[in-house]
Amino acid sequence: MSSEDRASMHGRSRPDWAALAIAIVLFAIAALIFYDVARLQGGNVYSGLGPATVPKGIAIGLIVLGVWTVFAAMRRDFPEREYQELPPVLFIVGGLAAQMLLLKTAGFSLATGVLFALTAAGFGKKKFWISLPAGIALSFVVWIIFARFLQLSLPAGPLERLFF
């Protein structure tokens, strides 16, 4: 059923509430960026460009996208969305939350391994006894590359301290 058919069934066109929610989020992020930029000190400004120039440009771009999204929501220009299954999304969001909570205490490899295993479960691979060690091993290799070879600071946990 098309948007026009639905609009004629209801007698009038209702806005796409999900798209309006996205527009509100875009406006909120833009406002947060503007608030943060207002707190920046003048700093070194060369030819009118300073540390606030790029964030202001991004915030203006978000406002333009937000306005565009509002107009598209009012016209119901967005395609019909497919049904979203909740369990896979919860696995992935849970993996991200677990990584954020474990990063400082367990270290990069273990925390990112948990994220890997839960994301794999979200995509249908429920064998944690395979995906968890594989994720930890891949994350450990990434940690070695970034922390040892590139000299970047990633949180080290018991696994990283065991080897280095």
Short mmCIF file of all heavy atoms in Angstrom, two decimals, residues 9-60:
data_model
loop_
_atom_site.label_atom_id
_atom_site.label_comp_id
_atom_site.label_asym_id
_atom_site.label_seq_id
_atom_site.Cartn_x
_atom_site.Cartn_y
_atom_site.Cartn_z
N MET A 9 -7.10 6.82 2.69
CA MET A 9 -7.89 6.02 3.62
C MET A 9 -8.17 6.80 4.89
O MET A 9 -9.25 6.72 5.45
CB MET A 9 -7.15 4.72 3.98
CG MET A 9 -7.34 3.62 2.98
SD MET A 9 -6.49 2.08 3.42
CE MET A 9 -6.31 2.13 5.15
N HIS A 10 -7.20 7.53 5.38
CA HIS A 10 -7.36 8.27 6.62
C HIS A 10 -8.00 9.64 6.39
O HIS A 10 -8.30 10.34 7.35
CB HIS A 10 -6.01 8.45 7.31
CG HIS A 10 -5.42 7.16 7.78
ND1 HIS A 10 -5.99 6.39 8.75
CD2 HIS A 10 -4.32 6.49 7.38
CE1 HIS A 10 -5.26 5.30 8.95
NE2 HIS A 10 -4.24 5.34 8.12
N GLY A 11 -8.19 10.02 5.16
CA GLY A 11 -8.82 11.30 4.88
C GLY A 11 -7.81 12.44 4.80
O GLY A 11 -8.06 13.44 4.18
N ARG A 12 -6.70 12.32 5.44
CA ARG A 12 -5.67 13.36 5.37
C ARG A 12 -4.32 12.67 5.58
O ARG A 12 -4.24 11.57 6.09
CB ARG A 12 -5.89 14.45 6.40
CG ARG A 12 -5.87 13.96 7.82
CD ARG A 12 -6.16 15.13 8.78
NE ARG A 12 -6.43 14.64 10.09
CZ ARG A 12 -5.52 14.33 11.01
NH1 ARG A 12 -4.25 14.46 10.72
NH2 ARG A 12 -5.85 13.89 12.20
N SER A 13 -3.30 13.35 5.19
CA SER A 13 -1.96 12.79 5.30
C SER A 13 -1.38 13.10 6.68
O SER A 13 -1.33 14.25 7.11
CB SER A 13 -1.07 13.40 4.21
OG SER A 13 0.23 12.89 4.34
N ARG A 14 -0.98 12.06 7.39
CA ARG A 14 -0.33 12.24 8.68
C ARG A 14 1.17 12.22 8.47
O ARG A 14 1.68 11.52 7.61
CB ARG A 14 -0.73 11.12 9.64
CG ARG A 14 -2.19 11.14 9.98
CD ARG A 14 -2.56 10.09 10.97
NE ARG A 14 -1.69 8.93 10.87
CZ ARG A 14 -1.75 7.88 11.66
NH1 ARG A 14 -2.65 7.83 12.59
NH2 ARG A 14 -0.94 6.87 11.53
N PRO A 15 1.91 12.96 9.29
CA PRO A 15 3.37 12.96 9.13
C PRO A 15 3.98 11.62 9.54
O PRO A 15 3.37 10.84 10.27
CB PRO A 15 3.83 14.09 10.05
CG PRO A 15 2.74 14.24 11.05
CD PRO A 15 1.47 13.86 10.36
N ASP A 16 5.16 11.38 9.04
CA ASP A 16 5.94 10.19 9.41
C ASP A 16 6.60 10.49 10.75
O ASP A 16 7.57 11.24 10.83
CB ASP A 16 6.97 9.91 8.31
CG ASP A 16 7.72 8.62 8.54
OD1 ASP A 16 7.69 8.09 9.66
OD2 ASP A 16 8.35 8.15 7.58
N TRP A 17 6.06 9.90 11.83
CA TRP A 17 6.53 10.23 13.18
C TRP A 17 7.96 9.77 13.42
O TRP A 17 8.71 10.43 14.14
CB TRP A 17 5.59 9.64 14.23
CG TRP A 17 4.24 10.29 14.15
CD1 TRP A 17 3.09 9.72 13.68
CD2 TRP A 17 3.91 11.64 14.49
NE1 TRP A 17 2.06 10.63 13.72
CE2 TRP A 17 2.55 11.82 14.21
CE3 TRP A 17 4.64 12.71 14.98
CZ2 TRP A 17 1.89 13.02 14.43
CZ3 TRP A 17 3.98 13.91 15.20
CH2 TRP A 17 2.62 14.05 14.93
N ALA A 18 8.37 8.67 12.84
CA ALA A 18 9.76 8.22 13.00
C ALA A 18 10.73 9.21 12.36
O ALA A 18 11.78 9.52 12.93
CB ALA A 18 9.93 6.82 12.41
N ALA A 19 10.37 9.73 11.21
CA ALA A 19 11.22 10.72 10.54
C ALA A 19 11.26 12.01 11.34
O ALA A 19 12.32 12.65 11.43
CB ALA A 19 10.71 10.98 9.12
N LEU A 20 10.15 12.40 11.94
CA LEU A 20 10.16 13.59 12.79
C LEU A 20 11.05 13.39 14.02
O LEU A 20 11.73 14.32 14.45
CB LEU A 20 8.73 13.96 13.21
CG LEU A 20 7.86 14.57 12.12
CD1 LEU A 20 6.45 14.80 12.64
CD2 LEU A 20 8.45 15.85 11.60
N ALA A 21 11.05 12.19 14.56
CA ALA A 21 11.93 11.90 15.69
C ALA A 21 13.40 12.01 15.27
O ALA A 21 14.23 12.53 16.02
CB ALA A 21 11.64 10.50 16.25
N ILE A 22 13.70 11.54 14.08
CA ILE A 22 15.07 11.66 13.56
C ILE A 22 15.44 13.13 13.39
O ILE A 22 16.55 13.55 13.73
CB ILE A 22 15.21 10.89 12.23
CG1 ILE A 22 15.12 9.39 12.50
CG2 ILE A 22 16.51 11.23 11.52
CD1 ILE A 22 15.01 8.53 11.26
N ALA A 23 14.51 13.93 12.91
CA ALA A 23 14.77 15.36 12.75
C ALA A 23 15.03 16.03 14.10
O ALA A 23 15.94 16.86 14.22
CB ALA A 23 13.59 16.04 12.04
N ILE A 24 14.28 15.64 15.11
CA ILE A 24 14.50 16.20 16.45
C ILE A 24 15.88 15.84 16.97
O ILE A 24 16.59 16.66 17.55
CB ILE A 24 13.39 15.72 17.41
CG1 ILE A 24 12.07 16.40 17.04
CG2 ILE A 24 13.75 16.00 18.86
CD1 ILE A 24 10.86 15.83 17.74
N VAL A 25 16.31 14.60 16.72
CA VAL A 25 17.65 14.18 17.14
C VAL A 25 18.71 14.99 16.39
O VAL A 25 19.71 15.42 16.99
CB VAL A 25 17.84 12.66 16.94
CG1 VAL A 25 19.28 12.25 17.12
CG2 VAL A 25 16.94 11.89 17.89
N LEU A 26 18.51 15.23 15.11
CA LEU A 26 19.46 16.03 14.34
C LEU A 26 19.56 17.45 14.90
O LEU A 26 20.66 18.00 15.05
CB LEU A 26 19.06 16.07 12.86
CG LEU A 26 19.23 14.77 12.08
CD1 LEU A 26 18.58 14.89 10.70
CD2 LEU A 26 20.69 14.41 11.95
N PHE A 27 18.41 18.05 15.22
CA PHE A 27 18.41 19.39 15.81
C PHE A 27 19.10 19.40 17.17
O PHE A 27 19.83 20.33 17.51
CB PHE A 27 16.99 19.94 15.93
CG PHE A 27 16.34 20.25 14.61
CD1 PHE A 27 15.03 19.87 14.37
CD2 PHE A 27 17.01 20.93 13.62
CE1 PHE A 27 14.41 20.16 13.17
CE2 PHE A 27 16.41 21.24 12.41
CZ PHE A 27 15.10 20.84 12.19
N ALA A 28 18.86 18.36 17.97
CA ALA A 28 19.47 18.29 19.31
C ALA A 28 20.99 18.17 19.21
O ALA A 28 21.73 18.82 19.97
CB ALA A 28 18.89 17.11 20.09
N ILE A 29 21.48 17.37 18.28
CA ILE A 29 22.93 17.23 18.11
C ILE A 29 23.53 18.55 17.63
O ILE A 29 24.59 18.97 18.11
CB ILE A 29 23.26 16.07 17.14
CG1 ILE A 29 22.86 14.74 17.76
CG2 ILE A 29 24.74 16.06 16.78
CD1 ILE A 29 22.94 13.56 16.81
N ALA A 30 22.84 19.23 16.71
CA ALA A 30 23.32 20.53 16.24
C ALA A 30 23.36 21.54 17.38
O ALA A 30 24.33 22.30 17.52
CB ALA A 30 22.43 21.04 15.11
N ALA A 31 22.33 21.54 18.23
CA ALA A 31 22.32 22.46 19.38
C ALA A 31 23.45 22.14 20.35
O ALA A 31 24.10 23.05 20.88
CB ALA A 31 20.97 22.37 20.10
N LEU A 32 23.71 20.87 20.56
CA LEU A 32 24.81 20.46 21.44
C LEU A 32 26.16 20.92 20.88
O LEU A 32 27.01 21.41 21.61
CB LEU A 32 24.80 18.94 21.64
CG LEU A 32 25.87 18.37 22.54
CD1 LEU A 32 25.65 18.85 23.98
CD2 LEU A 32 25.85 16.86 22.48
N ILE A 33 26.33 20.80 19.57
CA ILE A 33 27.57 21.25 18.95
C ILE A 33 27.71 22.76 19.07
O ILE A 33 28.79 23.27 19.42
CB ILE A 33 27.64 20.80 17.47
CG1 ILE A 33 27.78 19.28 17.39
CG2 ILE A 33 28.79 21.48 16.74
CD1 ILE A 33 27.66 18.71 16.00
N PHE A 34 26.63 23.49 18.81
CA PHE A 34 26.69 24.95 18.96
C PHE A 34 27.00 25.35 20.40
O PHE A 34 27.76 26.28 20.64
CB PHE A 34 25.38 25.61 18.50
CG PHE A 34 25.32 25.87 17.03
CD1 PHE A 34 24.26 25.41 16.27
CD2 PHE A 34 26.32 26.60 16.39
CE1 PHE A 34 24.19 25.65 14.92
CE2 PHE A 34 26.26 26.85 15.03
CZ PHE A 34 25.20 26.37 14.30
N TYR A 35 26.41 24.65 21.37
CA TYR A 35 26.68 24.94 22.78
C TYR A 35 28.15 24.70 23.10
O TYR A 35 28.80 25.50 23.76
CB TYR A 35 25.79 24.07 23.67
CG TYR A 35 26.16 24.14 25.12
CD1 TYR A 35 25.84 25.26 25.89
CD2 TYR A 35 26.83 23.09 25.74
CE1 TYR A 35 26.18 25.33 27.23
CE2 TYR A 35 27.19 23.15 27.07
CZ TYR A 35 26.85 24.27 27.82
OH TYR A 35 27.20 24.34 29.13
N ASP A 36 28.69 23.59 22.61
CA ASP A 36 30.09 23.26 22.86
C ASP A 36 31.02 24.26 22.17
O ASP A 36 32.04 24.65 22.74
CB ASP A 36 30.36 21.84 22.40
CG ASP A 36 31.59 21.25 23.05
OD1 ASP A 36 31.84 21.56 24.23
OD2 ASP A 36 32.30 20.48 22.38
N VAL A 37 30.69 24.67 20.97
CA VAL A 37 31.51 25.64 20.23
C VAL A 37 31.50 26.99 20.93
O VAL A 37 32.52 27.70 20.95
CB VAL A 37 31.02 25.75 18.77
CG1 VAL A 37 31.59 26.97 18.08
CG2 VAL A 37 31.39 24.50 18.00
N ALA A 38 30.38 27.37 21.52
CA ALA A 38 30.28 28.66 22.21
C ALA A 38 31.22 28.72 23.41
O ALA A 38 31.66 29.79 23.81
CB ALA A 38 28.85 28.92 22.65
N ARG A 39 31.55 27.57 23.97
CA ARG A 39 32.46 27.52 25.12
C ARG A 39 33.92 27.55 24.72
O ARG A 39 34.79 27.70 25.57
CB ARG A 39 32.18 26.27 25.95
CG ARG A 39 30.81 26.26 26.55
CD ARG A 39 30.54 25.05 27.36
NE ARG A 39 31.64 24.11 27.34
CZ ARG A 39 31.63 22.92 27.90
NH1 ARG A 39 30.57 22.52 28.51
NH2 ARG A 39 32.66 22.12 27.85
N LEU A 40 34.23 27.39 23.44
CA LEU A 40 35.62 27.42 22.98
C LEU A 40 36.18 28.83 23.11
O LEU A 40 35.50 29.82 22.85
CB LEU A 40 35.73 26.99 21.51
CG LEU A 40 35.62 25.52 21.21
CD1 LEU A 40 35.66 25.31 19.70
CD2 LEU A 40 36.72 24.73 21.86
N GLN A 41 37.43 28.89 23.48
CA GLN A 41 38.11 30.18 23.51
C GLN A 41 38.46 30.57 22.07
O GLN A 41 38.55 29.71 21.19
CB GLN A 41 39.39 30.09 24.36
CG GLN A 41 39.12 29.73 25.80
CD GLN A 41 38.27 30.77 26.51
OE1 GLN A 41 38.42 31.96 26.26
NE2 GLN A 41 37.38 30.33 27.37
N GLY A 42 38.73 31.84 21.86
CA GLY A 42 39.04 32.35 20.52
C GLY A 42 40.18 31.60 19.85
O GLY A 42 40.10 31.24 18.70
N GLY A 43 41.24 31.33 20.57
CA GLY A 43 42.36 30.59 20.02
C GLY A 43 43.01 31.31 18.86
O GLY A 43 42.82 32.50 18.64
N ASN A 44 43.80 30.58 18.11
CA ASN A 44 44.47 31.15 16.94
C ASN A 44 43.48 31.19 15.79
O ASN A 44 42.98 30.17 15.35
CB ASN A 44 45.68 30.29 16.56
CG ASN A 44 46.73 30.31 17.64
OD1 ASN A 44 46.80 31.26 18.42
ND2 ASN A 44 47.55 29.27 17.70
N VAL A 45 43.20 32.37 15.33
CA VAL A 45 42.29 32.53 14.21
C VAL A 45 43.09 33.10 13.05
O VAL A 45 43.66 34.17 13.14
CB VAL A 45 41.12 33.46 14.58
CG1 VAL A 45 40.23 33.66 13.37
CG2 VAL A 45 40.33 32.88 15.72
N TYR A 46 43.13 32.36 11.97
CA TYR A 46 43.86 32.79 10.79
C TYR A 46 42.85 32.98 9.67
O TYR A 46 42.16 32.04 9.29
CB TYR A 46 44.91 31.75 10.40
CG TYR A 46 45.65 32.11 9.14
CD1 TYR A 46 46.59 33.12 9.14
CD2 TYR A 46 45.40 31.44 7.96
CE1 TYR A 46 47.27 33.45 8.00
CE2 TYR A 46 46.06 31.77 6.80
CZ TYR A 46 47.00 32.77 6.83
OH TYR A 46 47.67 33.12 5.69
N SER A 47 42.76 34.16 9.16
CA SER A 47 41.87 34.52 8.06
C SER A 47 40.42 34.09 8.33
O SER A 47 39.75 33.59 7.46
CB SER A 47 42.35 33.92 6.74
OG SER A 47 42.18 32.53 6.72
N GLY A 48 39.98 34.30 9.57
CA GLY A 48 38.60 33.99 9.91
C GLY A 48 38.34 32.54 10.24
O GLY A 48 37.22 32.17 10.57
N LEU A 49 39.34 31.70 10.11
CA LEU A 49 39.19 30.29 10.43
C LEU A 49 39.80 30.01 11.79
O LEU A 49 40.88 30.49 12.10
CB LEU A 49 39.87 29.41 9.39
CG LEU A 49 39.34 29.52 7.97
CD1 LEU A 49 40.16 28.65 7.03
CD2 LEU A 49 37.88 29.12 7.90
N GLY A 50 39.10 29.26 12.59
CA GLY A 50 39.60 28.92 13.92
C GLY A 50 39.11 27.55 14.32
O GLY A 50 38.56 26.79 13.50
N PRO A 51 39.26 27.20 15.59
CA PRO A 51 38.87 25.87 16.04
C PRO A 51 37.37 25.63 16.01
O PRO A 51 36.93 24.49 16.09
CB PRO A 51 39.42 25.80 17.46
CG PRO A 51 39.61 27.20 17.88
CD PRO A 51 39.88 27.99 16.63
N ALA A 52 36.58 26.68 15.90
CA ALA A 52 35.13 26.51 15.89
C ALA A 52 34.55 26.43 14.48
O ALA A 52 33.36 26.15 14.33
CB ALA A 52 34.48 27.67 16.65
N THR A 53 35.35 26.64 13.46
CA THR A 53 34.84 26.72 12.09
C THR A 53 34.22 25.40 11.63
O THR A 53 33.08 25.37 11.15
CB THR A 53 35.96 27.15 11.13
OG1 THR A 53 36.52 28.38 11.60
CG2 THR A 53 35.44 27.32 9.73
N VAL A 54 34.94 24.32 11.76
CA VAL A 54 34.44 23.02 11.28
C VAL A 54 33.25 22.55 12.10
O VAL A 54 32.24 22.13 11.52
CB VAL A 54 35.58 21.97 11.24
CG1 VAL A 54 35.04 20.60 10.92
CG2 VAL A 54 36.62 22.37 10.21
N PRO A 55 33.29 22.62 13.44
CA PRO A 55 32.09 22.22 14.18
C PRO A 55 30.86 23.05 13.83
O PRO A 55 29.75 22.50 13.75
CB PRO A 55 32.49 22.41 15.65
CG PRO A 55 33.96 22.32 15.66
CD PRO A 55 34.41 22.88 14.35
N LYS A 56 31.03 24.34 13.61
CA LYS A 56 29.89 25.17 13.21
C LYS A 56 29.35 24.71 11.85
O LYS A 56 28.14 24.65 11.65
CB LYS A 56 30.28 26.64 13.13
CG LYS A 56 30.35 27.32 14.46
CD LYS A 56 30.71 28.79 14.28
CE LYS A 56 30.85 29.49 15.61
NZ LYS A 56 31.27 30.89 15.46
N GLY A 57 30.24 24.38 10.94
CA GLY A 57 29.81 23.88 9.63
C GLY A 57 29.05 22.57 9.75
O GLY A 57 28.03 22.37 9.06
N ILE A 58 29.51 21.70 10.61
CA ILE A 58 28.81 20.43 10.82
C ILE A 58 27.44 20.67 11.43
O ILE A 58 26.45 20.07 11.02
CB ILE A 58 29.67 19.50 11.70
CG1 ILE A 58 30.90 19.05 10.91
CG2 ILE A 58 28.86 18.30 12.17
CD1 ILE A 58 31.93 18.31 11.72
N ALA A 59 27.37 21.58 12.41
CA ALA A 59 26.08 21.88 13.05
C ALA A 59 25.10 22.48 12.05
O ALA A 59 23.91 22.13 12.03
CB ALA A 59 26.29 22.82 14.24
N ILE A 60 25.59 23.37 11.19
CA ILE A 60 24.72 23.96 10.17
C ILE A 60 24.24 22.88 9.20
O ILE A 60 23.06 22.84 8.82
CB ILE A 60 25.45 25.10 9.44
CG1 ILE A 60 25.62 26.28 10.38
CG2 ILE A 60 24.71 25.51 8.17
CD1 ILE A 60 26.56 27.37 9.88
#
